[in-house]
Amino acid sequence: MTRQMPVFRYHPDPLATGSVVVSDDECERCGHSRGFVYSGPIYSSDEIESLCPWCISDGTASEAFSADFTTTDEAPSGVDAAVHDELVHRTPGFSGWQQERWLFHCGDGAEFVGRAGWAEASASPGAIDSMLRDGWTEDALQHLSPEGDLTAYLFRCRRCREFLAYADSA
């Protein structure tokens, strides 16, 4: 049974980012085969192989398995705790080289856009500046590749629409 993918405010296109993939596997929470499964990180003491996006979206997967889908210790100052809860428990995460981190801007969680190389990051106003503020040099960032050893993780502010990014290496 295939339905329209749930809407995730902080991860608007999990198919494009690879966090959700086409699959006939059954969800371990609801038992349905819905045509899509989550392929990102799951932080749980249970070993979970297959979850559908619907069970992530409604929070039942997180509740059933005491699972988190991204790691952010707490909401930054000025960000409502409900935003943090939605990001951790009802939003598909993404896989990075080291420890993933979710970015925040304008008092809200940012939308995860996906992995980016130099071309994508430099075409996204604000992304390079945010990585430079993290201590990266422009010379190093010119080696960014979406699938390479140095990758940018691109986000967009939900309010002002500025792009943000952080870089990570293998």
Side-chain angles (χ1 to χ4, degrees), residues 76-99:
S77 177
V79 174
D80 191 279
V83 169
H84 178 261
D85 182 65
E86 182 175 344
L87 282 170
V88 172
H89 300 119
R90 294 184 310 282
T91 301
F94 62 93
S95 297
W97 284 117
Q98 307 295 323
Q99 183 61 53

Side-chain angles (χ1 to χ4, degrees), residues 22-169:
V22 174
S23 172
D24 291 327
D25 290 350
E26 286 185 7
C27 175
E28 292 179 40
R29 210 295 300 160
C30 69
H32 292 108
S33 175
R34 301 181 188 216
F36 301 99
V37 295
Y38 175 63
S39 65
I42 302 171
Y43 303 98
S44 173
S45 59
D46 293 313
E47 195 164 317
I48 307 161
E49 296 292 322
S50 180
L51 292 173
C52 72
W54 292 266
C55 287
I56 292 173
S57 175
D58 68 14
T60 57
S62 178
E63 186 177 308
F65 300 107
S66 297
D68 296 346
F69 302 104
T70 191
T71 57
T72 63
D73 294 333
E74 59 186 42
S77 177
V79 174
D80 191 279
V83 169
H84 178 261
D85 182 65
E86 182 175 344
L87 282 170
V88 172
H89 300 119
R90 294 184 310 282
T91 301
F94 62 93
S95 297
W97 284 117
Q98 307 295 323
Q99 183 61 53
E100 301 84 8
R101 62 182 170 127
W102 211 277
L103 299 183
F104 297 84
H105 200 261
C106 292
D108 196 3
E111 297 172 338
F112 180 61
V113 176
R115 290 174 170 241
W118 173 255
E120 298 88 358
S122 60
S124 302
I128 297 296
D129 289 339
S130 65
M131 291 182 284
L132 292 172
R133 284 191 299 274
D134 276 350
W136 289 92
T137 66
E138 191 167 323
D139 287 343
L141 294 176
Q142 289 180 6
H143 298 283
L144 288 168
S145 169
E147 301 302 326
D149 289 342
L150 179 61
T151 301
Y153 298 90
L154 189 61
F155 292 79
R156 182 176 35 239
C157 178
R158 295 182 65 241
R159 295 185 180 173
C160 75
R161 307 308 286 167
E162 179 177 331
F163 286 93
L164 317 155
Y166 75 91
D168 196 9
S169 60

